[in-house]
Structure formats: C-alpha cells, structure tokens
Amino acid sequence: MEQFIIPLDYGTLRVVWWALMGALLIGFAVMDGFDLGVAALLPVVARTDAERRVVINVVGPVWEGNQVWLITAGGAIFAAWPLLYAASFSGLYLAMLLLLVALIIRPAGFKYRSKFEGTRWRARWDMLLCASGVIASLVFGVAMGNILQGVPFGADPATLRPVYEGSFFALFNPFALLAGVLSVAMLVTHGAVLLAWRTEGPVAARARQWARGGAVLTALLFALGGVWIASGIDGYSITSAIVTDGASNPAAKTVAVSAGAWMQNYERWPLAWAAPALGVGMALLTALLVSVRRNVLAFVASALAISGIILTVGLSMFPFIMPSTLDPRASLTVWDASSSHLTLWIMLLVTLIFLPIVTAYTSWVYRVMRGKVTEHTVGDTPNSY
C-alpha cells in the first residue's frame, strides 16, 4: 500500500529533501542576506540622517518577507531532519541565542529609530542595526565553519538523543572565524550591490566601492578556505555499507576521519567543481559588473556567488549533514537523520503546492517595490521609515 501511495522510494526522497534544504538556505542567504548586508553598511555608506533613511527604506518594505526563508528553513529542518534539528538547535544553543538577539534588534531598529528625531537617539539605533547585520552574518558563517570541522556531540545508544559536549567559545576557532568573516564579506557585498542598484548619488557611489572590495575579498577568503579544507581539515567518509532506505539510526554505520576526505566527492563527480568555480568566478564578476554600473547583472552575479559557496559546502560534505568529532559513528547523514518515508512525501506535496504560490507573491511584491529610493521618494511617502 505504501509503495502505491508514495511513488518515490525512501532513499530518493531523502536526497530530494537534502536538495530542498540547500535551496532554502540559498534562498535565505540571497533574499535576507542583502538585508543583513545593508544593515551592516548603514553607518559607512550613509553619512546624514536623510541618507540613512534612504538606505533603511531600500529594505524596510521587504525584510519581513525575506526573513520567512529562515523561518521556513528552520521548520523544514524540524520536520524533515529531526535529529539534525535536535543536535544543532540544542547543542549550539548559546550561538543560536546570540543570533536570535541580533535578528530581534533589526526590526526593533527599523521601527523605533524614527520615533524621535534626536540625533543621538537615531545614531544609537543605527549602530545597533549595523551590529545586528554583522553579528548575524558572522554567526551564520561560524556555524558553517564548525559543521565542516565536525561538532562535538554524541548520541544516547538507547534513545538516539543527541548529547552535546562542546563550549560556546570553542565555536570561535580559527577556521570557523575565517568562515564567519567570509560570510560577512559575502553578505555585505550583496547588500552593497543592492544599494548601488536601488539608490543614487553619494550613497550609491559609496556602496559601489564597498561592493567592489567586498566581492574581491569574498573570492579570496573562499579560495583560502578551500585550500585550508583540502590540506588541513579532517573530513569524514562512510566505510560500512550504506543503507539508503532504512530507518534513521546514525549508530548503524562506521565512519573514518581523514585529512582531505571532504575532497573525495570531487573525484567521484568532477562536475561538482562547478560549485566552487561559481563561487569564485561570480564574486569576481560582481566586482567587474558593479564597476561598470551594470547593477542588475551585478546583483545576479552576487546571488550566484552566494549559491556557489553554499553549494560547495553541501557537495563537499555529502552525504554528511552534521559530522561528530566526539563519536564519528554518531555523525548525521542524509540516510540516517530524516523523518519517515510518509512524512517526507507529505511535506514534498505541500511544498510543490505552496512554494510556487509564495514565489509568485514575492515576485509581485518586488515588482510593486521596484525603482530607485531617493530622499525625495522617502519624504513623499508618509509611511516610510
């Protein structure tokens, strides 16, 4: 009966949801990433209160919809990958709390900044908005850096409940900080490209300078991270038979840890090199396009660079989604950390119905909000920030 109701086998559905999880992360990084980048740039691209209002109103009407990508990704992880959700959201609790505080500050800054016209009041909120963008971007990158290195967690053999034994400050190790700075550079570039596109005058000129520098820095840091992973970061590989359609049980496998193991997938699938090439190439192309003021193409190139960087992480680690340094056998993979066959199928049907609707609505909103944001348009709009 199950085979009749669910035409896709369990192993295929797991890979489909691994790909969908990656798509949601890319969607969040591209859509909400420029909000974080714009917030981080606020004090440096806008020097007067009028200019800062312009910058805030570029993202003010759309940031709430963009953040839905993060909420959707968290919900999808909870439903499709419950073991991953439990291990990451509970084990990395303090880092998640820091991220949550940063994300809470942003809407508060948008809403409260304009309540009073005092210079000191607005300057404080501007700095908090900047801090929220930098901290959130940094924490996202640090999290990815730690996942690539492995996270110190194990699993209770009876209940499979994840047990985390790491510390908050250990998360900020050298490689994770490199990944964090890369994340900041990547999202600042994305935000700067948007400002160069959607604003005019001095704000656009300063944003263009930040976009050029940020794009080149993104390419350099990404390449440096790749060399570091290939030569100095231990990777993981499954050494036992892989059961793609069995019940989720991370302990039912053996795992080897060795230097350079994260490069094995590029030997198996040479086409996977397209992902890191996309990350480096599109970042450098962003710098070129923004210099010649091809702003729309620069924004597309920046989005593709972000996609290439995130895809590189996913393809390098596949099938692992959260490796364990404490007990490599407890590492979570695509094959042993998912929900049931029926759950994944129902979620896929819901996604196929509602994702096109959400995408169409989002496209319509951006079409309505198209055009330059200037001091004149901000002044003429009574509900502007």
Side-chain angles (χ1 to χ4, degrees):
M1 183 67 177
E2 186 181 61
Q3 292 297 324
F4 177 76
I5 297 175
I6 308 176
L8 293 179
D9 64 82
Y10 199 7
T12 301
L13 271 176
R14 283 167 158 167
V15 175
V16 167
W17 270 102
W18 171 81
L20 284 173
M21 182 173 65
L24 288 172
L25 292 177
I26 290 172
F28 166 71
V30 170
M31 301 301 294
D32 201 34
F34 64 69
D35 295 336
L36 297 175
V38 167
L41 288 169
L42 181 60
V44 294
V45 298
R47 297 176 181 174
T48 66
D49 182 66
E51 289 179 349
R52 291 180 180 180
R53 288 191 67 197
V54 168
V55 170
I56 290 172
N57 280 279
V58 169
V59 297
V62 297
W63 73 267
E64 290 175 293
N66 292 339
Q67 193 161 286
V68 170
W69 285 92
L70 177 63
I71 298 170
T72 304
I77 292 173
F78 171 77
W81 309 97
L83 293 178
L84 173 63
Y85 183 91
S88 58
F89 279 69
S90 59
L92 307 179
Y93 180 77
L94 290 178
M96 294 291 183
L97 185 61
L98 177 62
L99 174 63
L100 183 62
V101 170
L103 293 177
I104 289 173
I105 288 174
R106 181 174 55 170
F110 286 150
K111 300 296 184 182
Y112 284 100
R113 181 189 183 277
S114 298
K115 295 297 183 182
F116 297 102
E117 296 185 0
T119 303
R120 183 177 298 179
W121 170 267
R122 292 188 173 182
R124 288 174 178 172
W125 280 112
D126 291 342
M127 294 309 298
L128 285 173
L129 281 169
C130 176
S132 72
V134 173
I135 291 172
S137 302
L138 182 71
V139 172
F140 281 122
V142 167
M144 285 295 182
N146 277 279
I147 289 175
L148 277 165
Q149 296 175 94
V151 180
F153 74 95
D156 184 288
T159 63
L160 298 181
R161 181 177 63 88
V163 180
Y164 181 77
E165 296 189 9
S167 66
F168 172 74
F169 293 103
L171 296 174
F172 296 89
N173 54 74
F175 180 78
L177 287 174
L178 171 68
V181 175
L182 168 60
S183 176
V184 173
M186 178 178 74
L187 298 185
V188 162
T189 299
H190 201 44
V193 171
L194 179 74
L195 290 176
W197 174 18
R198 296 289 310 282
T199 64
E200 297 176 342
V203 173
R206 296 182 198 115
R208 197 171 293 112
Q209 292 178 348
W210 278 91
R212 282 196 297 265
V216 173
L217 182 60
T218 297
L220 291 174
L221 291 174
F222 182 49
L224 176 60
V227 172
W228 197 338
I229 288 174
S231 59
I233 300 294
D234 287 342
Y236 293 67
S237 57
I238 299 175
T239 55
S240 59
I242 299 177
V243 179
T244 63
D245 58 354
S248 291
N249 181 7
K253 66 178 182 297
T254 57
V255 175
V257 181
S258 60
W262 287 146
M263 306 302 295
Q264 292 177 358
N265 284 340
Y266 297 98
E267 298 176 6
R268 296 189 187 99
W269 312 307
L271 285 177
W273 282 106
L278 191 69
V280 174
M282 288 297 105
L284 295 177
L285 184 60
T286 299
L288 175 62
L289 290 172
V290 80
S291 297
V292 298
R293 305 196 179 192
R294 301 298 297 272
N295 296 321
V296 176
L297 290 177
F299 186 81
V300 173
S302 177
L304 289 174
I306 292 172
S307 302
I309 291 170
I310 296 176
L311 282 171
T312 299
V313 175
L315 291 173
S316 299
M317 294 179 58
F318 185 85
F320 290 88
I321 53 179
M322 190 170 178
S324 168
T325 57
L326 188 64
D327 179 9
R329 289 185 60 199
S331 298
L332 305 180
T333 74
V334 171
W335 315 123
D336 57 27
S338 74
S339 292
S340 69
H341 193 183
L342 181 60
T343 299
L344 295 183
W345 174 244
I346 293 174
M347 289 177 59
L348 180 60
L349 292 179
V350 173
T351 301
L352 293 176
I353 293 171
F354 287 101
L355 185 59
I357 297 174
V358 172
T359 303
Y361 173 74
T362 302
S363 301
W364 176 78
V365 169
Y366 276 91
R367 178 174 174 78
V368 171
M369 298 295 177
R370 69 189 183 277
K372 298 282 188 180
V373 179
T374 65
E375 293 181 20
H376 178 72
T377 60
V378 170
D380 286 350
T381 305
N383 58 345
S384 62
Y385 288 101

